[in-house]
Structure formats: structure tokens, C-alpha cells
Amino acid sequence: MRSETLADMVDSTEPTSRESEAVVEHGIIRQADGVYAALGSLGKVFHSAVDRVFETGNYFAGINYPLFIRLLYGIGPELPATTPDSPMVRFASHIVPFEPARQALYKALKIENGTAAYYFEPVFLEDGEGPYGAEAPAQLTVDEFIADMWNKGVRFGIDVPAVRAAIASAKSERVIVARRLDASPGRDAVIQEVTDGIHRSDAPRQMANGKLDLMSFQNRFPQIKEKVRLLHKVPRKLGVGGFEMSGLPIEPAIPADVDLNKLAGLGMRVENTEDGEFLVSTMSGFLSVDTASGQLSVGAKIVSHEGVSTRTTGNLQLTGDYEEFGEIQERRVVEGESITVHADVFGNVISRGGTVILNNNLVGGSAVNARGDIRIKGVVSSATVQAAMGEVTIGRAENCLITGTRVTVEHAVNCQIMAEVLTIGQAEGCSVAARTVNIGSAGPRRQVEMVVYALVPDNDKINDVIEQVRERVGTFEQLAAQKQAELDRLQNEPDVRKYVMLASKIRKNELTLTAEQVPQFQRMATAVGPQLKAIGKLSLEVKAAQAEAKSGSDLVAQLVEQKNATAGASSVEIRELLGEVQVRTMRFNPDGSSVHHMPPKDIRARLLSGQVLGERIAGGSAGAVRWTTAAETQSA
């Protein structure tokens, strides 16, 4: 095929078949049946080729404008199917010259607010015939209009149906002929919950009797299992770009993204699967959500920053450890294993067997632990602290009731304290009782006296029981001896001894009786029958008496062991008396139960009512006190 210029390839009349194919511009190919775009040259190459056709005074006749826009900008109908041998798309019939006289028929546009308006009115062409020329009516065409708009900068968004309708109407009117295509917004990435397990239920808890507990929530702290999908990230969807009428692209805003990794706390991980991106638990435990960051965590311990109140959590009955950074308000109850509270506590903390740690103050409430320690770093005021089988450590306590196996208080004021081992740095106006008392300084507080009780076992009852059991053991031993003596007498009678000996040899096959001897042996058995019956009865009575004596002896040994276990030395040491202090004994029943594990009202009654005042063993208003059950009282 010979090379031709663009002017050579532009039809001024109907196309001929002199050329089966000609390259007009790189990317635009003219064939006998129309003008094609090479799909391999779309983009900037095709755009430049189109621009070259228009700026050289030509236009596309019979143009398929929607397809033309698709080839230029990728917006519009799908491209028709092509073959590998001919990857081209027909978008126009011809390329023809745009005569200057025709170009003069097209007027200026009014462009504003993303639209282009054109004023359509009758048009005329100059007629060269005649001495002075004349004007002949003319008509605009859609193909020329598209070319004229291109050269005036409107290269996208022409409303071809509106233009065609305006030309056909021959009315004088202003018509919107082109519009900008705004970008379509995308969709932000979102997080979806894929399990109900992360939801709290603040509905009132239903009790076993069917009634509702209005002070407790149904499920304030959800518990989940390992390998459970909690959250699903729905990826963001990018928007679709638009175009100005000039053909310049309008980029859509970038949708917001979400990073699941920022939501993965302890016990969580992010998994990417065929189904998408998920936040998955890596262990079983309690779920906690950081309200500030939205981070989810799973742990064996519940961690809360909201405090405990009627509004936030209600009363809590938990199956694991609990850590609280907010306040526990008045009359609210937190029950669990190990409990740690970093703020003030005005309610009630109950542990079933962990460690209770209060890093601030306990005011007006209580801290109770069935099988563990209690440690309070702040001030305890008008509160109850009880560790049935554990140690209590307090900095300062005022107007409190405190019990524990071992109690240590740095400064106690107007308190009632009972323990097995009690250590106080400074005590004022307190009533305290323990097996071992160690106080740095003690004295009254205003009108409240200071009383110290040394707990000593009351062995009178157990001694009486031991004596009674011993007497019973002696009685049965004596009875057994009497029955044994009578048994021995019967067994030593000659006839009985002879019969027992013969019967024993016969049973052992050491002796075989003849036919004549059998009747004689039978007569012998009949003769000693009453004695043998009496021997059997006495033998049973001896064994019964011996068993009763043995049981009594075992009980005595057990009671003695119990008595010895509680018979350790009781002691009181007060290194400095700062006013009148009474030191007395207080007896307790050494039955193996805890001396301090009693209801608060019973402890107050024992310490304050004077019901169990023992003997006065020391006292004074100055000096020191050192006393033990093994030594005489020493007062300085």
C-alpha cells in the first residue's frame, strides 16, 4: 500500500473503493466500509490522532459518538467483539473536510457550572452567484457540531440526542448541549461483626427462681472460645472517575481504609483467607474492648476501665480474675477470683479464693476473701475486711472491722480486729484479739479505750471430755478382764479341755474314730454342750468390750492431739504505751475451727460487749508490755 497524506485520504464526496485500507493517523485506519480505531493504540495515541484530524479542518462523518467516547476515555458502551486478525473497531463512516464556510455557521458556547449551552437559530450560507452575493438557508449537522465543539474545547459529554433534536426543530432556543461527568464516590472500608459473642447484654439477670435481679446485668463481660472469628473487614471500593467537558479526568476521593491490625490486642490475630480478612481469637477467655482505641483483647482476666455502678455494669458475679481501673460505687458487689482495683472502692469486693488487691481507698464497703490474701494500699474507713484463710495487709484503717489468719496494719484507729497473728504499727482506741499480738505503740483515742485480748484456748470442756472417755475406756477394760477370767475358767474344766482337744485332732485328721468310739464322742459332746455355749457367748462379750475400749482410746488420743495443736503459747508485746491500755485474756473453744471466722456482728459483740472478758494480765498508761502463757507478765 502506498503512503498518502491525510489530505489525500479525506473524502470530499462519497467514498470510493480505490483504497481497501489506509492509515489516516497512527491509531486511525480508513477502510472502504468506514473509519476504524486500532485497539492497540488507544489512549494518548488515539487521542492525539483524533486531535490531528480535527485541527487539520476535518471531521468524522457518521460518527458513533458513544463508541467514540468509549475509545477516547473508557466511558460508555462495551466495545464490539473483534478478532485477533483484525483488532479494530469501526466508529465512523468517513473523514471529510470541514469547510471554512461551514465552520462559520457554528457560534460560541456559554460554559458555566459544568455545562455548555448553545443558542440554536436559523443559519445561512453566502451564495456566490449574483453581483453582490446572497444568503441561502443552511442547516447544521451533528457530525460538524461535534468537530466544532472539539476545536472549542468541549471534548467530552456532548448530548447528541439533544443536539439532533434542536437542529431538527429549527427553533431559536438555547439548549444544554454538553455536561461534565462528576466522579462517582467510592465506599469506605467497614468492619462487620460476625459473631454475637462480642455483644454485652445489659438486660437484668434472671435468677434461679425466675425473678429478675435489677442490680445485675445478664452478660456484662462476654466470654469467647479460641479460634472464633469476631470481626470481618469489608474492603473499601474505589470510586469511578469522571471527566470535565475538556476531557480532563476528575479523580474521585479516596475511600477511607481500616486496619484490622490496630484492633487486634492480646489474644487476637488477623487472618487473611479466601473469605476475606478476619479478626480471630487465639485463646479462650474474657473479651475486653478499649473504648478509646476500639482494640479488642482476650485474656484469662477481665480488665475494665468503666467502673462498677448501676449505670455501667451493675453487680458482677464472675468466674475468673478481674481488674478494674474505675470506681466501685456504693452498694455495688463484685464477686470473682483474684480481684484488683486501682480506684476507690465504696462497694463490696468478694473473692472466692484468689488475691484481693485494692491500690486505693476502701470507704464504707467491704473486702472479703474466702481462701486468699487481701492487700489494701490506701486508707480503709468504716469498712469490713475479712480473710477467712489468708493474710490481711492494710496501710491505715479507721473505724473498721478486720479479721484474718494474719493481719498487719500500719496505723489502726477505732478498729475491731481479730486474728491468729496480729501486727500493728500504731493502734489508737482499738479492741483487738489474737494468739500472737505485736504492737509498736498503743493508746486510747479520745473517749475510746484501748483493749488488747490474748486468745488462749479454753481446755476445760475438752479436758472434761477426755476424762469422761478415759473413764469409759477403763470401764470396758475392766469388763473385758472379768469376762476373760470367766472364759478361762470354763475352758480349763477337764471334760471341756478333753473334748476340745479330741475335736481339734478329729478336724485336723490327726485322729480317726472307730465305729465303737463315735457314740462315746457324741455322748461327750452332749455332756459339755452347756459349757461350750457359755464359752462362745463369753468370747463375743470379751471382743465387744475390747473393741469399745480400743475405740475410746483412739478418741482420747485424737482429743489430746487436738488439745496439743491449740496449746501453743499465746503472747502480747506492746513496745510503747501511749495512755491507758488494758491487756486481758479471751478464751476460745479449741475445736479446730477458725478463731476469727465469724460474722462481723459476733466479732463486735465479743470485742466490745464484755461478754467474754478474761482475767486482766497487764495494763497501764506508760512503758511496755510483754506477756506469754509460758512466762509471767512483765510491765515497765
Side-chain angles (χ1 to χ4, degrees):
M1 181 183 67
R2 64 182 177 86
S3 175
E4 301 183 36
T5 65
L6 177 59
D8 296 331
M9 298 179 190
V10 173
D11 293 330
S12 58
T13 60
E14 290 298 319
T16 66
S17 59
R18 70 177 188 270
E19 292 288 344
S20 62
E21 181 177 304
V23 177
V24 178
E25 288 288 338
H26 189 61
I28 299 178
I29 301 170
R30 177 180 175 273
Q31 291 189 348
D33 61 340
V35 181
Y36 289 78
L39 297 184
S41 301
L42 298 184
K44 291 183 179 180
V45 173
F46 182 68
H47 194 282
S48 298
V50 171
D51 196 37
R52 176 66 178 160
V53 170
F54 286 133
E55 73 179 4
T56 55
N58 301 287
Y59 69 91
F60 297 104
I63 189 171
N64 184 335
Y65 187 74
L67 186 58
F68 178 65
I69 292 300
R70 175 58 187 252
L71 294 169
L72 285 169
Y73 303 108
I75 298 292
E78 293 294 328
L79 296 176
T82 61
T83 63
D85 296 336
S86 180
M88 299 183 299
V89 174
R90 183 183 184 276
F91 68 93
S93 300
H94 326 291
I95 298 175
V96 297
F98 194 1
E99 300 295 342
R102 295 286 303 174
Q103 293 182 27
L105 297 178
Y106 296 88
K107 308 303 180 182
L109 290 163
K110 183 179 181 181
I111 298 176
E112 62 180 359
N113 298 326
T115 62
Y118 186 87
Y119 187 75
F120 289 91
E121 60 182 351
V123 295
F124 300 88
L125 279 173
E126 290 187 3
D127 188 353
E129 298 179 1
Y132 304 106
E135 291 184 343
Q139 189 175 21
L140 306 181
T141 69
V142 173
D143 296 338
E144 291 177 346
F145 191 88
I146 292 171
D148 184 70
M149 292 298 102
W150 183 281
N151 291 329
K152 290 176 179 175
V154 179
R155 302 183 174 186
F156 178 87
I158 296 176
D159 188 348
V160 172
V163 173
R164 182 174 288 111
I167 293 173
S169 68
K171 294 179 181 179
S172 296
E173 60 179 340
R174 188 175 299 278
V175 177
I176 301 298
V177 295
R179 289 178 175 83
R180 174 181 62 203
L181 177 63
D182 292 323
S184 299
R187 183 189 64 210
D188 294 342
V190 295
I191 299 297
Q192 292 181 341
E193 298 175 1
V194 293
T195 178
D196 294 333
I198 64 176
H199 284 292
R200 289 175 170 176
S201 175
D202 292 344
R205 183 174 63 88
Q206 187 173 19
M207 296 184 290
N209 59 8
K211 295 182 179 180
L212 296 179
D213 182 359
L214 299 180
M215 294 294 101
S216 301
F217 294 165
Q218 197 172 85
N219 182 23
R220 184 61 183 177
F221 297 101
Q223 191 170 8
I224 61 173
K225 296 182 179 179
E226 183 183 1
K227 297 181 181 179
V228 174
R229 290 178 174 179
L230 304 179
L231 301 178
H232 173 222
K233 175 183 174 181
V234 179
R236 62 182 176 181
K237 182 179 180 180
L238 298 177
V240 178
F243 290 91
E244 298 284 359
M245 290 183 296
S246 63
L248 293 176
I250 302 174
E251 297 296 336
I254 302 298
D257 199 7
V258 177
D259 186 2
L260 269 184
N261 290 286
K262 292 183 178 179
L263 302 180
L266 294 175
M268 293 286 181
R269 71 167 179 268
V270 176
E271 285 187 355
N272 287 289
T273 67
E274 295 180 354
D275 299 330
E277 189 174 354
F278 294 89
L279 186 65
V280 181
S281 60
T282 60
M283 60 181 293
S284 299
F286 292 97
L287 178 69
S288 61
V289 181
D290 188 331
T291 55
S293 64
Q295 190 177 74
L296 278 68
S297 301
V298 177
K301 177 172 66 176
I302 300 172
V303 179
S304 171
H305 295 263
E306 300 175 339
V308 177
S309 66
T310 304
R311 179 183 60 84
T312 58
T313 64
N315 296 335
L316 295 176
Q317 290 185 338
L318 308 172
T319 58
D321 298 344
Y322 181 74
E323 183 173 8
E324 177 60 68
F325 287 84
E327 289 184 353
I328 298 179
Q329 294 189 356
E330 185 178 2
R331 289 189 287 185
R332 297 285 68 79
V333 178
V334 177
E335 183 176 355
E337 306 300 328
S338 290
I339 300 175
T340 302
V341 184
H342 299 280
D344 291 338
V345 176
F346 301 94
N348 305 298
V349 175
I350 302 174
S351 171
R352 292 186 290 269
T355 301
V356 174
I357 301 176
L358 307 184
N359 288 322
N360 219 326
N361 305 318
L362 172 62
V363 180
S366 66
V368 179
N369 198 337
R371 296 182 180 180
D373 299 340
I374 300 176
R375 297 197 293 271
I376 305 176
K377 297 182 180 179
V379 175
V380 182
S381 177
S382 303
T384 299
V385 181
Q386 291 186 288
M389 300 173 63
E391 182 176 348
V392 176
T393 304
I394 298 175
R396 179 181 175 87
E398 301 175 356
N399 303 305
C400 296
L401 185 141
I402 305 169
T403 65
T405 304
R406 181 182 295 270
V407 175
T408 302
V409 184
E410 294 180 8
H411 191 180
V413 179
N414 294 345
C415 294
Q416 295 85 50
I417 305 174
M418 183 174 285
E420 293 182 10
V421 178
L422 174 61
T423 302
I424 304 178
Q426 180 179 354
E428 302 178 46
C430 298
S431 295
V432 302
R435 292 295 305 270
T436 301
V437 180
N438 190 319
I439 301 176
S441 62
R445 174 79 171 185
R446 298 182 183 143
Q447 303 302 318
V448 181
E449 63 180 353
M450 179 74 200
V451 182
V452 178
Y453 295 100
L455 291 173
V456 294
D458 184 358
N459 291 325
D460 292 344
K461 291 182 179 180
I462 196 170
N463 287 336
D464 290 344
V465 172
I466 291 173
E467 185 60 30
Q468 293 174 9
V469 175
R470 281 176 174 169
E471 290 179 2
R472 180 178 173 83
V473 169
T475 299
F476 278 106
E477 288 178 344
Q478 183 178 2
L479 178 61
Q482 293 175 354
K483 297 293 183 181
Q484 185 65 46
E486 187 175 355
L487 178 64
D488 293 341
R489 183 185 63 77
L490 289 175
Q491 289 177 339
N492 289 325
E493 289 183 0
D495 293 341
V496 173
R497 289 180 62 187
K498 181 177 180 181
Y499 173 80
V500 170
M501 181 184 66
L502 290 174
S504 175
K505 288 184 177 181
I506 292 171
R507 283 196 302 272
K508 297 177 181 179
N509 294 321
E510 295 177 358
L511 178 65
T512 302
L513 297 178
T514 63
E516 294 81 7
Q517 292 174 331
V518 170
Q520 297 177 4
F521 182 75
Q522 292 175 344
R523 287 194 294 271
M524 184 183 296
T526 301
V528 299
Q531 291 92 331
L532 293 177
K533 185 175 181 180
I535 289 173
K537 181 180 178 182
L538 287 172
S539 178
L540 293 176
E541 291 176 349
V542 169
K543 290 181 179 179
Q546 290 175 342
E548 288 289 343
K550 176 67 168 55
S551 176
S553 299
D554 292 343
L555 179 58
V556 169
Q558 182 179 348
L559 292 173
V560 171
E561 183 180 358
Q562 179 179 325
K563 174 183 174 180
N564 293 336
T566 60
S570 300
S571 66
V572 175
E573 180 178 0
I574 306 174
R575 290 184 289 279
E576 183 179 10
L577 300 180
L578 301 177
E580 185 64 30
V581 177
Q582 296 186 49
V583 181
R584 295 177 173 273
T585 60
M586 176 182 289
R587 294 185 177 274
F588 68 92
N589 184 14
D591 57 358
S593 62
S594 172
V595 298
H596 59 272
H597 186 39
M598 294 183 291
K601 64 178 182 179
D602 292 343
I603 292 175
R604 285 194 173 94
R606 289 176 66 88
L607 293 176
L608 300 178
S609 67
Q611 297 177 6
V612 290
L613 289 180
E615 61 179 294
R616 185 177 184 276
I617 56 178
S621 58
V625 173
R626 293 180 180 85
W627 175 90
T628 66
T629 53
E632 291 294 329
T633 304
Q634 297 181 2
S635 303

